[in-house]
Amino acid sequence: MTAPESAADVDPRHAPLVDDEAPLPFPELCAKIHERITAFLDEKDVGPRIEAVQQQTRVSLGVIGEALEKYKLPEVSVAYNGGKDCLVLLILYLCAVHQKGLSKPPSPIQCVYIQAAHPFKEVEDFVAVSSKTYSLSVLEYAKPMKAAFADYLHDEPSVKAIFVGTRRTDPHGEHLTHFDKTDHGWPDFMRIHPVIDWHYVDIWTFIRHLNIPYCSLYDCGYTSLGGTTDTHPNPALQKKAPPPKVEIPNGTTNGTSTPKFRPAYELIDDYEERLGRDR
């Protein structure tokens, strides 16, 4: 299913939000992101999709701002795995950090990266590059989520709350609120969900409208990133199969390539997002 409205198309007047080849100092980075998001929120006559994302952005910035009132910067962290949802969360977080006057150096953003059992090289590369671009201090854990968070809180005992990019249609996301303590038996911290009510199409509209660099797998039809053994291009984005090969007089064939997939941002149905995941 493709997007009926092309609001997500990049406005040629908008330069990329960040330059991976020439990262900005942290205060300048936060200021630039804040400026771009402020301009985005001020846009008028933009159509219903952009208006919806503008409203979601305001709500999310309010949630992050509330969290930064409750917790000091060393007490918060971001769950970051290079995926689209946590990327939007990260951009909003950096905007809010500037709003709160917390972007003075040396203030790298604390992050925890829980790797898939069999990670994609493209994801690993994107996490590494974006960590430098956004001045992230990332600790990586290649183990199940519960054990990874336990180890992370042991290694970073000051952390009391973690921003998570979970959305309502994700597994176990249905009943979450903006602020939820971890369940019994889990490491104890506050889970903060600023983008919980964003739709799949909202995420991609934000990313493409602000021209935010993202993991290359999304351009190959992947819509939800896990590991190499349980993640595939989304079948809902598969292009029609080419016609069969036909033999021509000289004994060769008019060889055609195998079916390919449309990019992730062309999907609009929340409930088709995980069709490329085995679980």
Side-chain angles (χ1 to χ4, degrees):
M1 192 182 303
T2 58
E5 181 182 355
S6 60
D9 291 342
V10 174
D11 186 330
R13 295 172 299 175
H14 293 171
L17 181 65
V18 294
D19 183 355
D20 293 336
E21 300 297 324
L24 292 172
F26 186 70
E28 294 179 28
L29 170 73
C30 294
K32 180 179 179 180
I33 290 173
H34 178 264
E35 180 182 8
R36 287 285 288 272
I37 290 182
T38 299
F40 165 65
L41 293 176
D42 288 340
E43 291 182 27
K44 309 294 183 184
D45 302 320
V46 289
R49 180 182 297 177
I50 295 293
E51 288 179 354
V53 178
Q54 287 173 325
Q55 180 56 28
Q56 293 281 29
T57 299
R58 294 184 183 98
V59 172
S60 296
L61 288 174
V63 172
I64 298 171
E66 181 181 348
L68 293 177
E69 291 290 336
K70 292 181 177 180
Y71 302 99
K72 299 176 181 178
L73 209 56
E75 296 176 332
V76 296
S77 182
V78 178
Y80 183 69
N81 63 5
K84 62 189 184 306
D85 303 323
C86 63
L87 179 60
V88 169
L89 168 59
L90 175 63
I91 296 301
L92 294 171
Y93 182 61
L94 294 173
C95 177
V97 164
H98 178 83
Q99 285 180 325
K100 294 293 184 179
L102 300 173
S103 60
K104 297 178 181 179
S107 299
I109 298 302
Q110 296 186 114
C111 294
V112 52
Y113 171 33
I114 301 177
Q115 296 170 308
H118 304 278
F120 283 94
K121 181 180 184 301
E122 293 88 345
V123 173
E124 295 284 281
D125 290 346
F126 182 74
V127 170
V129 170
S130 57
S131 294
K132 293 180 180 179
T133 301
Y134 296 109
S135 296
L136 308 183
S137 176
V138 181
L139 292 186
E140 301 181 5
Y141 299 87
K143 54 181 59 180
M145 188 173 294
K146 184 186 291 188
F149 278 129
D151 284 359
Y152 180 63
L153 294 180
H154 176 269
D155 295 338
E156 295 288 346
S158 65
V159 171
K160 298 179 180 178
I162 300 178
F163 289 95
V164 183
T166 301
R167 292 186 293 109
R168 188 72 62 199
T169 52
D170 289 333
H172 313 296
E174 182 179 0
H175 301 296
L176 294 177
T177 67
H178 288 133
F179 293 85
D180 294 288
K181 291 287 288 185
T182 48
D183 298 329
H184 177 72
W186 279 70
D188 184 27
F189 62 91
M190 179 66 74
R191 294 170 294 171
I192 308 173
H193 308 108
V195 299
I196 188 67
D197 291 316
W198 287 54
H199 292 288
Y200 179 88
V201 72
D202 297 333
I203 293 291
W204 278 111
T205 298
F206 184 87
I207 288 173
R208 299 196 74 224
H209 196 78
L210 291 174
N211 203 349
I212 302 168
Y214 54 82
C215 179
S216 62
L217 287 179
Y218 289 121
D219 284 335
C220 301
Y222 292 84
T223 54
S224 177
L225 302 182
T228 59
T229 59
D230 64 7
T231 307
H232 318 279
N234 194 315
L237 292 173
Q238 188 170 9
K239 295 180 179 179
K240 291 183 179 179
K245 295 181 180 181
V246 177
E247 188 169 343
I248 55 180
N250 65 2
T252 62
T253 60
N254 65 336
T256 54
S257 59
T258 56
K260 295 184 179 180
F261 295 82
R262 304 194 309 277
Y265 53 77
E266 291 195 11
L267 193 77
I268 61 171
D269 190 333
D270 285 325
Y271 294 96
E272 291 184 339
E273 177 183 356
R274 295 181 66 86
L275 291 180
R277 299 289 291 273
D278 291 343
R279 54 181 173 81

